[in-house]
């Protein structure tokens, strides 16, 4: 860290604010601190001396871009660069609020655009591990059952997370099929496995809030409709515990549903209907088909093969 007392104090106050006021996770605090230390080390070489607060105030847009270009050359992805820029902005914004410096150029920078890659499907074995009911002493019993029920529904029926969380209690599946309202208010019927109904029944049994009628099926700790962020955080925790990649998201369970059905012999058109896709090309993007498997399907099904 800089030997300049004012900058050192400002840095420490920023970290303290992240931890105690913003209540950022330890992972976020570590990432932000690491990014900002790296930025200050770069600026030291960039301007030829250890910076103080006035030096940071005097930085231009070109200086920030030079740092981002430097990190890009180190191999950082667009997603990582966005986080790096977010870390720097957080520090500068805090200093401006505290009256230490004002730098208008940082606000003019555009965040690097992240790619639009679809999440990769999760393997069948890893999916089983994700959906295992593992007791957690730090988590309420009913919350654990709720999260397992949501994730089982996403994987077992191929639902979007928004479709699952918008279900009312009356919409819950009580038979082998359930009605789902998807994008564009398009209705579809999807099969429901016994494992999905069992997970839902266990959650409903454990839930401390009254679930009925047109009220939400999935609720949060205040008894109101569950927010998608809760499930995203649950998946984040599970994938860390299981050593899964960051691509293991709630939406990846929908991709896994499609890919595992196809690998098991399902046809693309039927899977398209189950996913509620308007076009077959969308379904093809969801499936994890390699060339060898495509040729195998072709050889088996084509009359001229």
């Amino acid at each position: 860290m800089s030997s300049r007392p004012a900058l050192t104090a400002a840095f420490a106050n920023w970290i303290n604010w992240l931890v105690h006021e913003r209540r950022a996770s330890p992972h976020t605090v570590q990432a932000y601190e690491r990014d900002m230390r790296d930025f200050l080390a770069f600026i030291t070489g960039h301007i030829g001396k250890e910076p103080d607060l006035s030096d940071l105030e005097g930085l231009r847009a070109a200086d920030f871009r030079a740092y981002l270009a430097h990190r890009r050359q180190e191999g950082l992805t667009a997603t990582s660069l966005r986080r790096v820029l977010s870390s720097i902005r957080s520090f500068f914004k805090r200093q401006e609020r505290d009256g230490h410096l004002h730098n208008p150029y940082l606000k003019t920078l555009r965040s690097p655009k992240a790619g639009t890659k679809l999440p990769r499907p999760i393997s069948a074995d890893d999916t089983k591990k994700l959906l295992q009911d593992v007791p957690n002493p730090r988590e309420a019993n009913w919350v654990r059952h709720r999260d397992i029920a949501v994730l089982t529904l996403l994987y077992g029926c191929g639902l979007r997370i928004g479709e699952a969380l918008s279900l009312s209690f009356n919409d819950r599946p009580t038979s082998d099929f359930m009605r789902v309202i998807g994008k564009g208010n398009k209705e579809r019927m999807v099969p429901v496995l016994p494992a999905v109904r069992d997970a839902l029944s266990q959650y409903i049994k454990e839930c401390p809030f009254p679930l009925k009628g047109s009220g939400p099926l999935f609720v949060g700790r205040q008894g109101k409709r569950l927010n998608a962020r809760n499930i995203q955080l649950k998946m984040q925790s599970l994938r860390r515990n299981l050593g899964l990649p960051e691509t293991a998201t709630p939406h990846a369970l929908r991709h896994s549903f499609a890919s595992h059905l196809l690998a098991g012999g399902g046809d693309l058109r039927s899977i398209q209907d189950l996913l509620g896709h308007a076009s077959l090309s969308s379904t093809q993007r969801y499936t994890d088909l390699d060339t060898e498997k495509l040729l195998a399907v072709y050889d088996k099904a084509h009359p001229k093969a």
Side-chain angles (χ1 to χ4, degrees):
M1 189 59 230
S2 171
S3 61
R4 306 290 177 100
L7 179 55
T8 300
F11 193 95
N13 288 337
W14 172 60
I15 295 297
N16 186 65
W17 171 77
L18 285 173
V19 173
H20 299 291
E21 292 188 45
R22 188 180 165 188
R23 297 186 183 278
S25 71
H27 177 77
T28 298
V29 174
Q30 290 171 9
Y32 273 34
E33 180 176 1
R34 183 173 61 248
D35 290 339
M36 195 58 203
R37 287 184 185 278
D38 188 87
F39 173 71
L40 291 174
F42 172 83
I43 293 300
T44 297
H46 187 63
I47 66 175
K49 71 183 183 78
E50 200 172 21
D52 55 23
L53 289 172
S54 63
D55 292 320
L56 296 183
E57 186 170 49
L59 294 177
R60 301 298 181 100
D63 300 315
F64 293 109
R65 291 195 187 101
Y67 174 66
L68 294 176
H70 163 70
R71 296 307 305 272
R72 188 179 287 111
Q73 288 175 352
E74 290 184 333
L76 261 66
T77 63
T79 300
S80 295
L81 287 171
R82 286 165 69 92
R83 190 209 64 229
V84 165
L85 189 54
S86 176
S87 303
I88 298 170
R89 280 176 170 154
S90 173
F91 175 82
F92 275 74
K93 190 174 183 179
R94 188 68 235 173
Q95 303 321 307
E96 184 170 355
R97 286 182 179 175
D98 290 342
H100 295 321
L101 65 85
H102 171 69
N103 188 307
Y105 295 101
L106 186 55
K107 296 177 182 178
T108 67
L109 295 183
R110 291 184 179 181
S111 296
K113 289 185 177 180
T116 56
K117 286 185 178 180
L118 289 169
R120 299 290 296 167
I122 306 167
S123 73
D125 287 342
D126 286 337
T127 304
K128 288 179 182 177
K129 293 176 185 175
L130 278 169
L131 300 180
Q132 283 178 349
D133 183 14
V134 180
N136 184 343
R138 294 175 298 177
E139 189 174 57
N141 232 22
W142 77 272
V143 170
R144 188 178 81 252
H145 287 300
R146 178 201 67 194
D147 293 347
I148 291 295
V150 174
L151 297 178
T152 305
L153 189 60
L154 298 183
Y155 175 63
C157 298
L159 269 58
R160 301 175 177 93
I161 189 168
E163 292 170 344
L165 299 187
S166 67
L167 291 172
S168 70
F169 181 73
N170 284 342
D171 294 329
R172 74 193 188 283
T174 55
S175 65
D176 292 338
F177 285 87
M178 70 179 293
R179 185 176 68 101
V180 179
I181 305 297
K183 287 184 177 180
N185 213 31
K186 186 179 178 182
E187 181 180 315
R188 68 185 190 275
M189 298 296 292
V190 297
V192 181
L193 297 169
V196 174
R197 293 198 299 273
D198 290 346
L200 286 167
S201 296
Q202 190 63 40
Y203 153 63
I204 292 169
K205 177 183 175 182
E206 298 284 345
C207 184
F209 299 100
L211 304 174
K212 56 185 179 180
S214 59
L217 173 60
F218 296 110
V219 297
R221 296 177 186 274
Q222 305 300 319
K224 298 179 180 179
R225 188 176 297 276
L226 184 63
N227 189 288
R229 183 61 179 156
N230 294 91
I231 302 302
Q232 290 163 351
L233 289 172
K234 177 69 173 185
M235 278 291 286
Q236 186 181 86
S237 172
L238 286 172
R239 68 174 179 249
R240 283 178 183 165
N241 291 341
L242 296 172
L244 299 179
E246 290 189 5
T247 52
T249 63
H251 199 58
L253 289 172
R254 176 168 153 87
H255 289 249
S256 306
F257 163 85
S259 283
H260 297 170
L261 275 181
L262 192 63
D267 69 276
L268 214 52
R269 286 288 182 188
S270 298
I271 296 171
Q272 175 190 353
D273 291 337
L274 293 175
L275 291 171
H277 282 156
S279 67
L280 192 60
S281 61
S282 297
T283 308
Q284 288 171 322
R285 291 169 63 218
Y286 263 62
T287 53
D288 193 23
L289 275 180
D290 55 26
T291 304
E292 186 178 343
K293 188 171 289 184
L294 276 172
L295 288 173
V297 172
Y298 175 87
D299 288 338
K300 182 180 179 181
H302 200 284
K304 294 290 186 181

